[in-house]
Amino acid sequence: MAEQAILSTDSVQDEWGQICSQLKTEVGDTAFESWLKPLTPGSFNDGVMNICVPTRFMRNWVITHYSDRIHKIWEKKNPAIKSVNFVVQAIQEESHGLYAPSCRSLLKKISSSPAPQNIYQSGLNSLTANSNEMFNNNEALSVPLNPQYTFDNFVVGKTNEFAYAAARKVAESRNVSFNPLFLYSGVGLGKTHLMHAIAWHIKQQDPSRNIVYLSAEKFMYKFVRALRYKDTTAFKEQFRSVDVLMVDDVQFMGGKDTTQEEFFYTFNSLIEEGRQIIISADKSPSDLEGIEARLKSRLGCGLVADIHPTDFDLRIGILENKARQMGIELPTRVAEFLAQKITSNIRELEGALRRVIAHSQLLSDKEITVDMTQDVLKDMLRSYDKRTTIDEIQKKVAEHFNISVKEMQSSRRARTVARPRQIAMYLAKQLTSRSLPEIGRKFDRDHTTVMHAVRKVEELIMEDSSLAENVDALRRTLEA
Ligand code: ADP
Ligand code: MG
């Protein structure tokens, strides 16, 4: 019960009321009326407070401008609130059976429940369970699909045309064509979008086909739960009627041996029965880490399609497409500016565009110009410019100390190689958002070595001013 915070509906409403008055004084009446008043608190689960927002556009705006503040104020009032999440409460989607019932109706049900001191959490849990059955009709395994992620909304360019064609082929063919279809790419490049698009397409053509889409994490979670409740037979049963199984981000199964074993089993039996499987990951099957060899080879035995990082043309195409969808005229120069600057992935590109549009709309349709874009995205562009990669750090540090990158990654322990290696690890920790294990892998070491290197360099910087200067100079070149 320790982590299971309990909140009664009344106390949620109460706290929300107080938060609103505080926000009102902070942001002023006009902003409050436009953005904050329409919000309503919804379900509370696992430390996450869901807040309902009437439209997608508002949700984005509220997230960029108020979500941190709301979270801070609320957490201070009530430490059980670990984070806040904004949910679009859309009646239309509800009737398609894609999303849980609107928060308002949930709240109504809870507040009219007989026990006056009802436990918010458990009340919601049972409601959510019911609605799950309702909106997933026998697909309790699956998670809802995003209505925006369709083939129509997918912009095709050189970098993703192969993956797109493969996805379309799988979606359109009645008999299993490539099995499994394995999609891989870096983050934010459209894997999930393509998987949902396949699901939508199949559903539309033949609603009777049972499609299950879930993340590898969810698969693991379900499986671990089944183990805990000694209910693995029921777990397996759930997959028997599946016609199309999609598992997103299988790299998360790395190192989880029992789950892999189970997945392997499920996978094989579905393939044998001629069901379609679609998998995504951040790497090709053979490069996946911590995945058993036989599973890797099984994953790679159908069609493997990768999505490459975007190119300029695709970025322009995506910006034009999204702007059109939002009913906005995006000046060519602004599109070009964004496409030149935001090159990392499509998710960030979309985020940038949304910020610019929200800004112009808030200031009663202020014209979108390059200057204004630059101004609105100041922080983002700055951090963007600063972003370096571990490869780059290894290269620069190796050059600086006159060794090769190969030596840096080698097992040699001579001081002339070991010290630069430690410095590179230290800078990788400082200048990138990579985790210790991720950094370790780039150096062919484990995370404890990286941790040790970081501490060591921190100590050395205090003691040895010439080393400190060297590290500082390197940092400046990398950040430049
Ligand atoms: P991944 O699963 O590879 O991390 P997503 O599928 O979640 O990436 O894509 C990130 C965002 O970019 C989503 O909002 C998605 O709709 C959008 N997106 C990705 N590729 C395209 C594309 N080719 N055309 C339009 N939008 C795209
Ligand atoms: Mg994804």
Side-chain angles (χ1 to χ4, degrees):
M1 225 33 207
E3 274 294 305
Q4 301 261 321
I6 294 168
L7 283 179
S8 76
T9 321
D10 286 350
S11 74
V12 168
Q13 292 294 19
D14 231 38
E15 286 170 8
W16 180 243
Q18 294 166 17
I19 292 166
C20 283
S21 15
Q22 182 167 345
L23 285 170
K24 199 169 176 175
T25 37
E26 284 183 15
V27 305
D29 286 354
T30 324
F32 180 82
E33 291 289 319
S34 339
W35 305 108
L36 299 164
K37 198 166 165 209
L39 308 180
T40 42
S43 61
F44 173 73
N45 240 320
D46 260 357
V48 181
M49 189 71 220
N50 289 301
I51 299 175
C52 307
V53 204
T55 65
R56 221 173 274 280
F57 173 72
M58 260 186 90
R59 176 175 180 268
N60 295 330
W61 182 264
V62 171
I63 288 176
T64 2
H65 292 85
Y66 304 113
S67 118
D68 286 348
R69 191 65 199 132
I70 293 175
H71 172 223
K72 286 231 172 66
I73 305 179
W74 211 333
E75 196 182 25
K76 212 166 153 195
K77 281 198 189 310
N78 184 347
I81 313 278
K82 301 272 183 276
S83 67
V84 291
N85 179 37
F86 296 87
V87 193
V88 179
Q89 172 189 25
I91 308 300
Q92 208 189 352
E93 283 163 349
E94 196 185 318
S95 66
H96 285 302
L98 289 170
Y99 285 101
S102 75
C103 302
R104 246 182 255 277
S105 61
L106 271 182
L107 266 175
K108 228 181 346 205
K109 283 190 201 175
I110 298 162
S111 26
S112 60
S113 105
Q117 295 251 312
N118 66 46
I119 297 170
Y120 200 63
Q121 167 120 33
S122 67
L124 266 174
N125 277 348
S126 62
L127 275 172
T128 322
N130 289 340
S131 51
N132 257 328
E133 273 158 38
M134 196 172 75
F135 68 74
N136 276 332
N137 48 51
N138 301 329
E139 292 174 26
L141 270 178
S142 196
V143 298
L145 299 171
N146 186 327
Q148 303 293 324
Y149 291 1
T150 59
F151 283 128
D152 283 346
N153 287 344
F154 191 85
V155 182
V156 187
K158 274 203 210 72
T159 58
N160 60 18
E161 62 186 1
F162 183 63
Y164 171 81
R168 271 222 96 103
K169 174 89 185 147
V170 166
E172 281 162 7
S173 38
R174 276 278 6 188
N175 30 15
V176 172
S177 37
F178 315 109
N179 216 2
L181 169 64
F182 188 101
L183 298 169
Y184 75 94
S185 78
V187 292
L189 293 176
K191 299 179 293 291
T192 300
H193 188 135
L194 278 180
M195 289 174 108
H196 286 207
I198 297 173
W200 282 124
H201 192 94
I202 298 177
K203 263 182 202 289
Q204 201 180 23
Q205 289 198 323
D206 182 355
S208 71
R209 287 179 85 188
N210 183 4
I211 307 169
V212 167
Y213 163 87
L214 78 177
S215 65
E217 273 175 312
K218 175 114 189 248
F219 184 93
M220 287 194 282
Y221 168 77
K222 292 244 167 209
F223 178 60
V224 170
R225 241 172 74 128
L227 281 180
R228 187 173 308 146
Y229 294 107
K230 306 208 174 4
D231 201 10
T232 50
T233 330
F235 177 81
K236 284 171 192 153
E237 275 298 304
Q238 289 184 298
F239 287 97
R240 282 174 59 122
S241 59
V242 171
D243 296 307
V244 182
L245 174 66
M246 306 189 179
V247 184
D248 208 348
D249 290 319
V250 292
Q251 72 272 13
F252 290 122
M253 282 190 194
K256 311 280 190 312
D257 295 347
T258 1
T259 319
Q260 274 181 41
E261 181 110 355
E262 186 52 41
F263 179 60
F264 188 67
Y265 171 88
T266 308
F267 185 97
N268 279 338
S269 57
L270 288 174
I271 293 227
E272 268 156 31
E273 287 174 35
R275 319 290 173 80
Q276 178 72 53
I277 294 191
I278 300 156
I279 303 286
S280 88
D282 67 348
K283 297 199 182 66
S284 73
S286 55
D287 288 340
L288 283 172
E289 285 159 21
I291 302 279
E292 249 189 277
R294 58 178 186 151
L295 181 52
K296 280 192 198 175
S297 83
R298 209 52 165 118
L299 288 173
C301 70
L303 180 70
V304 177
D306 61 341
I307 306 177
H308 300 277
T310 58
D311 59 17
F312 183 77
D313 289 347
L314 181 65
R315 291 196 291 276
I316 291 281
I318 285 170
L319 288 166
E320 282 172 351
N321 186 278
K322 304 273 162 183
R324 204 176 317 119
Q325 271 180 30
M326 295 174 171
I328 300 289
E329 279 271 358
L330 188 68
T332 313
R333 293 201 38 212
V334 175
E336 284 172 0
F337 175 80
L338 287 169
Q340 247 150 28
K341 290 285 179 186
I342 318 282
T343 53
S344 56
N345 67 51
I346 300 171
R347 190 172 299 137
E348 291 201 2
L349 189 65
E350 269 182 14
L353 177 67
R354 266 200 299 267
R355 264 168 73 172
V356 172
I357 291 178
H359 191 85
S360 108
Q361 291 184 339
L362 183 80
L363 301 177
S364 31
D365 291 318
K366 185 176 173 192
E367 201 195 340
I368 299 178
T369 62
V370 173
D371 279 350
M372 175 266 216
T373 303
Q374 214 155 7
D375 192 44
V376 173
L377 301 179
K378 223 171 18 224
D379 301 341
M380 188 172 179
L381 294 172
R382 201 181 303 131
S383 80
Y384 204 84
D385 287 342
K386 266 200 276 185
R387 237 175 263 184
T388 42
T389 61
I390 301 179
D391 291 334
E392 217 174 313
I393 294 173
Q394 290 183 332
K395 192 168 148 260
K396 283 267 151 55
V397 176
E399 260 168 32
H400 184 89
F401 289 102
N402 237 330
I403 62 171
S404 69
V405 173
K406 267 226 159 61
E407 281 176 299
M408 180 169 277
Q409 294 162 336
S410 74
S411 56
R412 277 192 62 202
R413 290 172 180 213
R415 169 80 56 94
T416 47
V417 181
R419 195 63 88 220
R421 184 185 299 131
Q422 288 177 323
I423 291 175
M425 287 178 178
Y426 167 83
L427 287 169
K429 184 75 199 118
Q430 297 267 311
L431 303 179
T432 73
S433 54
R434 301 280 156 220
S435 66
L436 293 174
E438 280 172 316
I439 298 173
R441 278 198 281 281
K442 285 281 189 180
F443 290 84
D444 218 3
R445 301 290 199 282
D446 70 8
H447 70 282
T448 49
T449 313
V450 183
M451 206 155 63
H452 174 75
V454 172
R455 291 216 190 104
K456 184 76 201 165
V457 175
E458 277 168 358
E459 273 169 36
L460 288 170
I461 287 176
M462 310 290 279
E463 293 161 5
D464 178 344
S465 61
S466 103
L467 181 130
E469 269 164 37
N470 271 297
V471 173
D472 211 42
L474 276 165
R475 183 205 306 274
R476 265 180 278 122
T477 4
L478 285 162
E479 277 179 350

